[in-house]
Amino acid sequence: MLTFYHAPRSRSFSIFWLLEELGEPYTIELVDIRAEAGVPESYRAIQPHKKVPAIVHDGTTVTERAAISLYLADAFPESDLAPALGDPMRAAYLTALVYTDAVLDPIIATKALDISYKPGDVSFGSLADAVANLEKRLGAQDYAAGDRFTAADTQLGSALHYGINIFGALPRLPVFQAYLHPLLARPALQQCMQKDEALATQGSLKP
Ligand SMILES: N[C@@H](CCC(=O)N[C@@H](CS)C(=O)NCC(=O)O)C(=O)O
């Protein structure tokens, strides 16, 4: 049994998208991260910072999007969303997946919130370095980890989409647009966007 703790229009979208790509059955538990009274204290037992996403799979709790992505893609190998141990793509896959949360996410957040900092003082460095790195990597390959879609793309694709199209924190470079175009056309992502909007506006997936 797989339970997904989610809030619409939030960072847990990337895991929602991954779950739709996997096609495995799961149930959604909505967490109202915008509630005036705050997220109930009881949720801390699932996610220690009371943030979304989190998953509970057959009694095992996993938090943090990079870890959840790695866990789910490995737990369902038939989905072919994780290069296996020994696969030459594995290193690039791990790198892209962790880079998205550890480097790109705080860079987008600090830019969107207009927070200034010295790149040498923080672990994630500068916006210019991240843009240059991603421009180079995505100029040389179609997907985050190489020539095929993996769970690194649900993370990187979500971050780039949000960073460019929602927050305007990243430049609309042709190489980013070329990367996002086929991702945005994927049926699982389209489905997920529709479901997320239904959850945001109706609070449920019922028609
Ligand atoms: N490091 C976490 C961050 C998740 C995160 O920032 N979640 C936000 C949603 S955008 C949240 O739950 N915020 C609610 C709050 O902090 O009260 C991850 O990658 O899973």
Side-chain angles (χ1 to χ4, degrees), residues 153-191:
D153 292 294
T154 45
Q155 281 300 105
L156 182 60
S158 300
L160 280 182
H161 172 59
Y162 272 78
I164 295 168
N165 300 321
I166 311 289
F167 296 118
L170 296 174
R172 206 173 279 278
L173 298 183
V175 68
F176 294 165
Q177 303 285 76
Y179 168 68
L180 285 176
H181 189 72
L183 297 188
L184 289 167
R186 291 180 73 85
L189 179 54
Q190 288 296 320
Q191 171 100 326

mmCIF file of all heavy atoms in Angstrom, residues 153-191:
data_model
loop_
_atom_site.group_PDB
_atom_site.id
_atom_site.type_symbol
_atom_site.label_atom_id
_atom_site.label_comp_id
_atom_site.label_asym_id
_atom_site.label_seq_id
_atom_site.Cartn_x
_atom_site.Cartn_y
_atom_site.Cartn_z
ATOM 1 N N ASP A 153 14.178 13.302 -14.186
ATOM 2 C CA ASP A 153 13.467 14.299 -14.992
ATOM 3 C C ASP A 153 12.201 14.805 -14.325
ATOM 4 O O ASP A 153 11.802 15.946 -14.567
ATOM 5 C CB ASP A 153 13.151 13.710 -16.376
ATOM 6 C CG ASP A 153 14.411 13.487 -17.174
ATOM 7 O OD1 ASP A 153 15.061 14.483 -17.528
ATOM 8 O OD2 ASP A 153 14.775 12.316 -17.396
ATOM 9 N N THR A 154 11.567 13.971 -13.499
ATOM 10 C CA THR A 154 10.395 14.496 -12.800
ATOM 11 C C THR A 154 10.840 15.569 -11.800
ATOM 12 O O THR A 154 10.132 16.539 -11.559
ATOM 13 C CB THR A 154 9.601 13.364 -12.101
ATOM 14 O OG1 THR A 154 10.499 12.498 -11.409
ATOM 15 C CG2 THR A 154 8.830 12.546 -13.118
ATOM 16 N N GLN A 155 12.039 15.410 -11.252
ATOM 17 C CA GLN A 155 12.573 16.426 -10.336
ATOM 18 C C GLN A 155 13.068 17.656 -11.107
ATOM 19 O O GLN A 155 12.634 18.776 -10.848
ATOM 20 C CB GLN A 155 13.732 15.843 -9.519
ATOM 21 C CG GLN A 155 13.304 14.982 -8.356
ATOM 22 C CD GLN A 155 12.452 15.739 -7.361
ATOM 23 O OE1 GLN A 155 11.242 15.556 -7.298
ATOM 24 N NE2 GLN A 155 13.060 16.623 -6.602
ATOM 25 N N LEU A 156 13.997 17.424 -12.053
ATOM 26 C CA LEU A 156 14.582 18.573 -12.763
ATOM 27 C C LEU A 156 13.527 19.278 -13.623
ATOM 28 O O LEU A 156 13.480 20.509 -13.665
ATOM 29 C CB LEU A 156 15.769 18.116 -13.625
ATOM 30 C CG LEU A 156 16.491 19.231 -14.379
ATOM 31 C CD1 LEU A 156 17.064 20.280 -13.426
ATOM 32 C CD2 LEU A 156 17.602 18.670 -15.273
ATOM 33 N N GLY A 157 12.685 18.486 -14.292
ATOM 34 C CA GLY A 157 11.646 19.084 -15.140
ATOM 35 C C GLY A 157 10.701 19.949 -14.321
ATOM 36 O O GLY A 157 10.354 21.061 -14.736
ATOM 37 N N SER A 158 10.294 19.457 -13.148
ATOM 38 C CA SER A 158 9.403 20.264 -12.299
ATOM 39 C C SER A 158 10.097 21.549 -11.858
ATOM 40 O O SER A 158 9.503 22.633 -11.895
ATOM 41 C CB SER A 158 8.989 19.478 -11.042
ATOM 42 O OG SER A 158 8.322 18.303 -11.390
ATOM 43 N N ALA A 159 11.344 21.429 -11.421
ATOM 44 C CA ALA A 159 12.068 22.615 -10.924
ATOM 45 C C ALA A 159 12.246 23.645 -12.037
ATOM 46 O O ALA A 159 12.043 24.851 -11.818
ATOM 47 C CB ALA A 159 13.419 22.204 -10.352
ATOM 48 N N LEU A 160 12.615 23.185 -13.238
ATOM 49 C CA LEU A 160 12.801 24.140 -14.333
ATOM 50 C C LEU A 160 11.473 24.770 -14.734
ATOM 51 O O LEU A 160 11.392 25.976 -14.984
ATOM 52 C CB LEU A 160 13.449 23.453 -15.545
ATOM 53 C CG LEU A 160 14.960 23.252 -15.485
ATOM 54 C CD1 LEU A 160 15.464 22.606 -16.773
ATOM 55 C CD2 LEU A 160 15.701 24.564 -15.263
ATOM 56 N N HIS A 161 10.423 23.945 -14.795
ATOM 57 C CA HIS A 161 9.101 24.481 -15.160
ATOM 58 C C HIS A 161 8.667 25.545 -14.144
ATOM 59 O O HIS A 161 8.283 26.658 -14.521
ATOM 60 C CB HIS A 161 8.083 23.345 -15.236
ATOM 61 C CG HIS A 161 6.669 23.809 -15.407
ATOM 62 N ND1 HIS A 161 6.259 24.571 -16.480
ATOM 63 C CD2 HIS A 161 5.560 23.643 -14.630
ATOM 64 C CE1 HIS A 161 4.965 24.855 -16.349
ATOM 65 N NE2 HIS A 161 4.522 24.302 -15.232
ATOM 66 N N TYR A 162 8.744 25.206 -12.876
ATOM 67 C CA TYR A 162 8.357 26.178 -11.833
ATOM 68 C C TYR A 162 9.290 27.389 -11.861
ATOM 69 O O TYR A 162 8.848 28.533 -11.778
ATOM 70 C CB TYR A 162 8.368 25.529 -10.442
ATOM 71 C CG TYR A 162 7.045 24.869 -10.085
ATOM 72 C CD1 TYR A 162 6.691 23.638 -10.594
ATOM 73 C CD2 TYR A 162 6.138 25.509 -9.233
ATOM 74 C CE1 TYR A 162 5.470 23.035 -10.284
ATOM 75 C CE2 TYR A 162 4.917 24.920 -8.906
ATOM 76 C CZ TYR A 162 4.592 23.683 -9.433
ATOM 77 O OH TYR A 162 3.378 23.110 -9.128
ATOM 78 N N GLY A 163 10.591 27.131 -11.987
ATOM 79 C CA GLY A 163 11.582 28.217 -11.938
ATOM 80 C C GLY A 163 11.437 29.196 -13.086
ATOM 81 O O GLY A 163 11.620 30.412 -12.902
ATOM 82 N N ILE A 164 11.087 28.673 -14.272
ATOM 83 C CA ILE A 164 10.958 29.557 -15.445
ATOM 84 C C ILE A 164 9.535 30.091 -15.570
ATOM 85 O O ILE A 164 9.311 31.298 -15.630
ATOM 86 C CB ILE A 164 11.315 28.773 -16.746
ATOM 87 C CG1 ILE A 164 12.783 28.346 -16.742
ATOM 88 C CG2 ILE A 164 11.004 29.625 -17.981
ATOM 89 C CD1 ILE A 164 13.147 27.346 -17.836
ATOM 90 N N ASN A 165 8.569 29.165 -15.613
ATOM 91 C CA ASN A 165 7.209 29.551 -16.011
ATOM 92 C C ASN A 165 6.336 30.056 -14.863
ATOM 93 O O ASN A 165 5.388 30.779 -15.087
ATOM 94 C CB ASN A 165 6.510 28.363 -16.690
ATOM 95 C CG ASN A 165 7.264 27.915 -17.937
ATOM 96 O OD1 ASN A 165 7.775 28.736 -18.681
ATOM 97 N ND2 ASN A 165 7.355 26.609 -18.151
ATOM 98 N N ILE A 166 6.623 29.643 -13.648
ATOM 99 C CA ILE A 166 5.754 30.072 -12.532
ATOM 100 C C ILE A 166 6.423 31.220 -11.759
ATOM 101 O O ILE A 166 5.790 32.226 -11.488
ATOM 102 C CB ILE A 166 5.445 28.899 -11.562
ATOM 103 C CG1 ILE A 166 4.981 27.634 -12.333
ATOM 104 C CG2 ILE A 166 4.440 29.313 -10.485
ATOM 105 C CD1 ILE A 166 3.611 27.693 -12.955
ATOM 106 N N PHE A 167 7.708 31.069 -11.431
ATOM 107 C CA PHE A 167 8.360 32.092 -10.595
ATOM 108 C C PHE A 167 9.194 33.102 -11.391
ATOM 109 O O PHE A 167 9.617 34.117 -10.833
ATOM 110 C CB PHE A 167 9.250 31.425 -9.538
ATOM 111 C CG PHE A 167 8.481 30.590 -8.557
ATOM 112 C CD1 PHE A 167 8.703 29.231 -8.453
ATOM 113 C CD2 PHE A 167 7.511 31.169 -7.754
ATOM 114 C CE1 PHE A 167 7.980 28.446 -7.558
ATOM 115 C CE2 PHE A 167 6.775 30.404 -6.862
ATOM 116 C CZ PHE A 167 7.008 29.043 -6.759
ATOM 117 N N GLY A 168 9.453 32.821 -12.658
ATOM 118 C CA GLY A 168 10.281 33.740 -13.443
ATOM 119 C C GLY A 168 11.662 33.927 -12.834
ATOM 120 O O GLY A 168 12.292 34.973 -12.996
ATOM 121 N N ALA A 169 12.158 32.913 -12.139
ATOM 122 C CA ALA A 169 13.452 33.030 -11.458
ATOM 123 C C ALA A 169 14.608 32.561 -12.332
ATOM 124 O O ALA A 169 15.765 32.870 -12.042
ATOM 125 C CB ALA A 169 13.427 32.205 -10.160
ATOM 126 N N LEU A 170 14.290 31.807 -13.381
ATOM 127 C CA LEU A 170 15.335 31.281 -14.269
ATOM 128 C C LEU A 170 15.102 31.831 -15.672
ATOM 129 O O LEU A 170 13.949 32.047 -16.069
ATOM 130 C CB LEU A 170 15.281 29.743 -14.319
ATOM 131 C CG LEU A 170 15.566 29.004 -13.012
ATOM 132 C CD1 LEU A 170 15.339 27.512 -13.184
ATOM 133 C CD2 LEU A 170 16.995 29.269 -12.536
ATOM 134 N N PRO A 171 16.175 32.013 -16.439
ATOM 135 C CA PRO A 171 16.008 32.566 -17.788
ATOM 136 C C PRO A 171 15.327 31.560 -18.732
ATOM 137 O O PRO A 171 15.514 30.347 -18.589
ATOM 138 C CB PRO A 171 17.444 32.853 -18.230
ATOM 139 C CG PRO A 171 18.291 31.957 -17.407
ATOM 140 C CD PRO A 171 17.586 31.771 -16.095
ATOM 141 N N ARG A 172 14.558 32.097 -19.671
ATOM 142 C CA ARG A 172 13.826 31.258 -20.628
ATOM 143 C C ARG A 172 14.767 30.888 -21.791
ATOM 144 O O ARG A 172 14.532 31.278 -22.934
ATOM 145 C CB ARG A 172 12.630 32.073 -21.125
ATOM 146 C CG ARG A 172 11.446 31.307 -21.611
ATOM 147 C CD ARG A 172 10.308 32.283 -21.892
ATOM 148 N NE ARG A 172 9.603 32.663 -20.681
ATOM 149 C CZ ARG A 172 8.643 31.927 -20.110
ATOM 150 N NH1 ARG A 172 8.273 30.781 -20.659
ATOM 151 N NH2 ARG A 172 8.048 32.321 -19.009
ATOM 152 N N LEU A 173 15.835 30.144 -21.491
ATOM 153 C CA LEU A 173 16.811 29.818 -22.523
ATOM 154 C C LEU A 173 16.239 28.776 -23.487
ATOM 155 O O LEU A 173 15.514 27.864 -23.068
ATOM 156 C CB LEU A 173 18.084 29.227 -21.890
ATOM 157 C CG LEU A 173 18.866 30.121 -20.923
ATOM 158 C CD1 LEU A 173 20.129 29.403 -20.460
ATOM 159 C CD2 LEU A 173 19.210 31.440 -21.577
ATOM 160 N N PRO A 174 16.593 28.866 -24.779
ATOM 161 C CA PRO A 174 16.096 27.883 -25.757
ATOM 162 C C PRO A 174 16.407 26.434 -25.334
ATOM 163 O O PRO A 174 15.585 25.539 -25.536
ATOM 164 C CB PRO A 174 16.831 28.248 -27.047
ATOM 165 C CG PRO A 174 17.164 29.700 -26.890
ATOM 166 C CD PRO A 174 17.378 29.934 -25.413
ATOM 167 N N VAL A 175 17.564 26.206 -24.743
ATOM 168 C CA VAL A 175 17.922 24.836 -24.358
ATOM 169 C C VAL A 175 16.989 24.327 -23.238
ATOM 170 O O VAL A 175 16.645 23.134 -23.201
ATOM 171 C CB VAL A 175 19.425 24.758 -23.966
ATOM 172 C CG1 VAL A 175 19.699 25.505 -22.680
ATOM 173 C CG2 VAL A 175 19.906 23.321 -23.875
ATOM 174 N N PHE A 176 16.562 25.195 -22.355
ATOM 175 C CA PHE A 176 15.613 24.792 -21.300
ATOM 176 C C PHE A 176 14.233 24.528 -21.918
ATOM 177 O O PHE A 176 13.548 23.572 -21.551
ATOM 178 C CB PHE A 176 15.490 25.878 -20.223
ATOM 179 C CG PHE A 176 16.749 26.112 -19.412
ATOM 180 C CD1 PHE A 176 16.884 27.251 -18.627
ATOM 181 C CD2 PHE A 176 17.795 25.196 -19.428
ATOM 182 C CE1 PHE A 176 18.035 27.469 -17.873
ATOM 183 C CE2 PHE A 176 18.950 25.405 -18.685
ATOM 184 C CZ PHE A 176 19.069 26.555 -17.909
ATOM 185 N N GLN A 177 13.842 25.391 -22.858
ATOM 186 C CA GLN A 177 12.544 25.204 -23.515
ATOM 187 C C GLN A 177 12.537 23.887 -24.287
ATOM 188 O O GLN A 177 11.550 23.155 -24.268
ATOM 189 C CB GLN A 177 12.269 26.357 -24.505
ATOM 190 C CG GLN A 177 12.305 27.736 -23.882
ATOM 191 C CD GLN A 177 11.056 28.020 -23.061
ATOM 192 O OE1 GLN A 177 10.916 27.519 -21.939
ATOM 193 N NE2 GLN A 177 10.152 28.801 -23.611
ATOM 194 N N ALA A 178 13.652 23.593 -24.970
ATOM 195 C CA ALA A 178 13.744 22.348 -25.765
ATOM 196 C C ALA A 178 13.684 21.127 -24.857
ATOM 197 O O ALA A 178 13.129 20.085 -25.219
ATOM 198 C CB ALA A 178 15.039 22.349 -26.576
ATOM 199 N N TYR A 179 14.248 21.235 -23.657
ATOM 200 C CA TYR A 179 14.188 20.130 -22.689
ATOM 201 C C TYR A 179 12.757 19.956 -22.160
ATOM 202 O O TYR A 179 12.239 18.846 -22.067
ATOM 203 C CB TYR A 179 15.159 20.433 -21.534
ATOM 204 C CG TYR A 179 15.001 19.542 -20.326
ATOM 205 C CD1 TYR A 179 15.325 18.184 -20.383
ATOM 206 C CD2 TYR A 179 14.523 20.057 -19.117
ATOM 207 C CE1 TYR A 179 15.164 17.369 -19.270
ATOM 208 C CE2 TYR A 179 14.374 19.246 -17.999
ATOM 209 C CZ TYR A 179 14.689 17.905 -18.086
ATOM 210 O OH TYR A 179 14.531 17.096 -16.982
ATOM 211 N N LEU A 180 12.115 21.079 -21.828
ATOM 212 C CA LEU A 180 10.788 21.004 -21.196
ATOM 213 C C LEU A 180 9.688 20.610 -22.173
ATOM 214 O O LEU A 180 8.706 19.975 -21.767
ATOM 215 C CB LEU A 180 10.433 22.359 -20.562
ATOM 216 C CG LEU A 180 11.156 22.700 -19.269
ATOM 217 C CD1 LEU A 180 10.774 24.108 -18.806
ATOM 218 C CD2 LEU A 180 10.808 21.688 -18.166
ATOM 219 N N HIS A 181 9.845 20.959 -23.440
ATOM 220 C CA HIS A 181 8.756 20.756 -24.401
ATOM 221 C C HIS A 181 8.239 19.313 -24.416
ATOM 222 O O HIS A 181 7.044 19.084 -24.198
ATOM 223 C CB HIS A 181 9.218 21.221 -25.792
ATOM 224 C CG HIS A 181 8.111 21.258 -26.777
ATOM 225 N ND1 HIS A 181 7.117 22.202 -26.751
ATOM 226 C CD2 HIS A 181 7.820 20.420 -27.806
ATOM 227 C CE1 HIS A 181 6.262 21.957 -27.721
ATOM 228 N NE2 HIS A 181 6.658 20.883 -28.375
ATOM 229 N N PRO A 182 9.097 18.306 -24.639
ATOM 230 C CA PRO A 182 8.584 16.919 -24.634
ATOM 231 C C PRO A 182 8.114 16.453 -23.263
ATOM 232 O O PRO A 182 7.212 15.622 -23.155
ATOM 233 C CB PRO A 182 9.774 16.077 -25.128
ATOM 234 C CG PRO A 182 10.973 16.930 -24.962
ATOM 235 C CD PRO A 182 10.528 18.356 -24.991
ATOM 236 N N LEU A 183 8.700 16.994 -22.207
ATOM 237 C CA LEU A 183 8.258 16.599 -20.858
ATOM 238 C C LEU A 183 6.829 17.070 -20.607
ATOM 239 O O LEU A 183 5.987 16.326 -20.086
ATOM 240 C CB LEU A 183 9.176 17.187 -19.778
ATOM 241 C CG LEU A 183 10.644 16.765 -19.761
ATOM 242 C CD1 LEU A 183 11.316 17.309 -18.504
ATOM 243 C CD2 LEU A 183 10.790 15.249 -19.807
ATOM 244 N N LEU A 184 6.565 18.314 -21.008
ATOM 245 C CA LEU A 184 5.229 18.880 -20.763
ATOM 246 C C LEU A 184 4.157 18.166 -21.580
ATOM 247 O O LEU A 184 2.976 18.217 -21.242
ATOM 248 C CB LEU A 184 5.235 20.386 -21.070
ATOM 249 C CG LEU A 184 6.006 21.234 -20.051
ATOM 250 C CD1 LEU A 184 6.255 22.646 -20.574
ATOM 251 C CD2 LEU A 184 5.260 21.302 -18.714
ATOM 252 N N ALA A 185 4.576 17.483 -22.643
ATOM 253 C CA ALA A 185 3.607 16.748 -23.478
ATOM 254 C C ALA A 185 3.363 15.329 -22.969
ATOM 255 O O ALA A 185 2.506 14.626 -23.503
ATOM 256 C CB ALA A 185 4.115 16.708 -24.919
ATOM 257 N N ARG A 186 4.085 14.882 -21.953
ATOM 258 C CA ARG A 186 3.915 13.507 -21.476
ATOM 259 C C ARG A 186 2.523 13.323 -20.852
ATOM 260 O O ARG A 186 2.087 14.147 -20.031
ATOM 261 C CB ARG A 186 4.988 13.154 -20.423
ATOM 262 C CG ARG A 186 6.389 13.051 -21.004
ATOM 263 C CD ARG A 186 7.409 12.696 -19.940
ATOM 264 N NE ARG A 186 7.313 11.311 -19.508
ATOM 265 C CZ ARG A 186 7.896 10.289 -20.117
ATOM 266 N NH1 ARG A 186 8.633 10.487 -21.180
ATOM 267 N NH2 ARG A 186 7.746 9.066 -19.640
ATOM 268 N N PRO A 187 1.814 12.251 -21.227
ATOM 269 C CA PRO A 187 0.467 12.034 -20.694
ATOM 270 C C PRO A 187 0.425 12.038 -19.165
ATOM 271 O O PRO A 187 -0.511 12.589 -18.570
ATOM 272 C CB PRO A 187 0.075 10.664 -21.266
ATOM 273 C CG PRO A 187 0.909 10.519 -22.500
ATOM 274 C CD PRO A 187 2.194 11.242 -22.227
ATOM 275 N N ALA A 188 1.435 11.463 -18.524
ATOM 276 C CA ALA A 188 1.428 11.420 -17.054
ATOM 277 C C ALA A 188 1.487 12.829 -16.463
ATOM 278 O O ALA A 188 0.842 13.117 -15.454
ATOM 279 C CB ALA A 188 2.596 10.586 -16.538
ATOM 280 N N LEU A 189 2.258 13.692 -17.090
ATOM 281 C CA LEU A 189 2.364 15.065 -16.566
ATOM 282 C C LEU A 189 1.069 15.829 -16.814
ATOM 283 O O LEU A 189 0.572 16.553 -15.927
ATOM 284 C CB LEU A 189 3.562 15.790 -17.196
ATOM 285 C CG LEU A 189 3.749 17.242 -16.748
ATOM 286 C CD1 LEU A 189 3.810 17.370 -15.236
ATOM 287 C CD2 LEU A 189 4.995 17.845 -17.352
ATOM 288 N N GLN A 190 0.510 15.665 -18.004
ATOM 289 C CA GLN A 190 -0.771 16.337 -18.305
ATOM 290 C C GLN A 190 -1.838 15.905 -17.305
ATOM 291 O O GLN A 190 -2.579 16.717 -16.770
ATOM 292 C CB GLN A 190 -1.216 15.986 -19.738
ATOM 293 C CG GLN A 190 -0.370 16.657 -20.809
ATOM 294 C CD GLN A 190 -0.499 18.177 -20.760
ATOM 295 O OE1 GLN A 190 -1.586 18.712 -20.549
ATOM 296 N NE2 GLN A 190 0.609 18.887 -20.914
ATOM 297 N N GLN A 191 -1.887 14.585 -17.075
ATOM 298 C CA GLN A 191 -2.857 14.013 -16.129
ATOM 299 C C GLN A 191 -2.657 14.597 -14.733
ATOM 300 O O GLN A 191 -3.594 14.956 -14.026
ATOM 301 C CB GLN A 191 -2.617 12.494 -16.115
ATOM 302 C CG GLN A 191 -3.357 11.733 -15.075
ATOM 303 C CD GLN A 191 -4.582 11.083 -15.704
ATOM 304 O OE1 GLN A 191 -5.184 11.647 -16.612
ATOM 305 N NE2 GLN A 191 -4.946 9.925 -15.215
#
